[in-house]
Amino acid sequence: MIDLTNAEPFASGGNRHCYRHPQFADRCVKVMRPGRVAELRRRAPWYKALGSDRQFDDNAREVDGYRQKVLNNAEPASPVWAHLPRWYGVEDTSIGVGAVSELILDADGAPGITLENYLQQYGLDDTIRGALARFSQWLRATGVLTKNLLPHNLVLSHRHGQPELFLIDGLGSAAFLPFAEYFAFSRRRYIERRIEKMWKRIHWEVSDRSLSWAQAEKLSRR
């Protein structure tokens, strides 16, 4: 068991706390916030509330994301890992079940900066445009399926002399039907939609934000 009793998270999202692994400094342990699964169930529509706890558990969804066809049993040298944290599985911790994956670090050994924070500090400069272009090409080349590519779920790390983006959350398909998992045409179309939506969100992030993201997203669909 991983002892996180006295540990402080280095980051927290809406559903999970993120801890540095006490035995492996290059690994991250994500644990659901206490009571969060029950809270999400209470807020869900009645038909979703009838489902199991698994559908409200981000750790369970992350397991499913890493089990997708192109990642399942992928070799360590496979290009599918070029923009993803390595996956080490699920382990019990002293504060709940933890999803263990590679911790994406900066040059100083600290957790890497998110794309969201980078855009706030530096804007959409040539450096980040290049990283985004390489990340998009990787998605197209590998066929890795993701949910919406949100800036706070993308982290920067320097690899081979240049900054690269890593998807630390949101792996897997958001589609109701699994066509993208099994059919190449559906997969390509699905990935292009995710990339297009990613860029819309990025442009909103660096805008004056006179509209909320929900408002801006709604206008972009017209």
Side-chain angles (χ1 to χ4, degrees):
M1 177 181 288
I2 302 172
D3 186 6
L4 298 175
T5 304
N6 298 313
E8 291 292 329
F10 67 83
S12 296
N15 296 334
R16 295 188 289 184
H17 292 305
C18 302
Y19 300 86
R20 204 157 190 165
H21 197 297
Q23 281 81 47
F24 302 97
D26 61 348
R27 296 186 187 184
C28 172
V29 184
K30 301 175 188 174
V31 181
M32 287 292 291
R33 290 174 176 268
R36 186 60 171 162
V37 169
E39 180 184 349
L40 291 171
R41 182 186 293 280
R42 287 194 301 271
R43 291 166 50 186
W46 67 267
Y47 55 89
K48 289 187 177 180
L50 296 175
S52 67
D53 284 352
R54 183 178 178 81
Q55 71 180 32
F56 301 101
D57 187 333
D58 278 12
N59 283 350
R61 288 197 286 265
E62 189 161 19
V63 169
D64 292 340
Y66 275 100
R67 285 177 176 167
Q68 63 178 276
K69 187 177 179 181
V70 300
L71 294 177
N72 198 24
N73 298 320
E75 295 294 329
S78 171
V80 299
W81 302 114
H83 295 273
L84 283 179
R86 304 282 174 160
W87 176 245
Y88 298 108
V90 173
E91 296 185 42
D92 289 330
T93 83
S94 56
I95 57 173
V97 176
V100 185
S101 60
E102 179 186 4
L103 178 56
I104 304 303
L105 303 172
D106 64 17
D108 297 323
I113 186 175
T114 66
L115 175 60
E116 180 180 49
N117 288 338
Y118 185 96
L119 292 171
Q120 290 170 356
Q121 293 182 43
Y122 307 107
L124 186 56
D125 59 15
D126 289 342
T127 296
I128 205 62
R129 284 183 182 274
L132 284 162
R134 291 189 295 275
F135 178 77
S136 300
Q137 184 54 35
W138 167 80
L139 287 172
R140 296 181 179 109
T142 62
V144 170
L145 298 177
T146 73
K147 297 171 186 175
N148 288 336
L149 296 161
L150 302 174
H152 62 268
N153 288 336
L154 290 163
V155 168
L156 277 165
S157 179
H158 273 76
R159 305 289 171 99
H160 310 296
Q162 62 185 359
E164 300 292 1
L165 286 163
F166 288 78
L167 181 68
I168 61 166
D169 200 1
L171 191 61
S173 175
F176 178 70
L177 296 173
F179 294 143
E181 180 78 3
Y182 299 106
F183 302 104
F185 173 77
S186 297
R187 183 164 55 252
R188 287 194 297 269
R189 184 171 61 177
Y190 178 91
I191 289 171
E192 287 302 326
R193 287 174 177 170
R194 298 282 79 76
I195 293 171
E196 180 183 359
K197 194 166 186 178
M198 175 187 74
W199 276 105
K200 288 178 180 178
R201 177 61 183 254
I202 288 169
H203 287 303
W204 176 81
E205 291 279 348
V206 298
S207 73
D208 60 11
R209 300 199 191 187
S210 58
L211 298 176
S212 69
W213 167 240
Q215 292 171 321
E217 186 179 25
K218 187 175 180 180
L219 284 174
S220 71
R221 292 174 181 167
R222 294 180 180 177

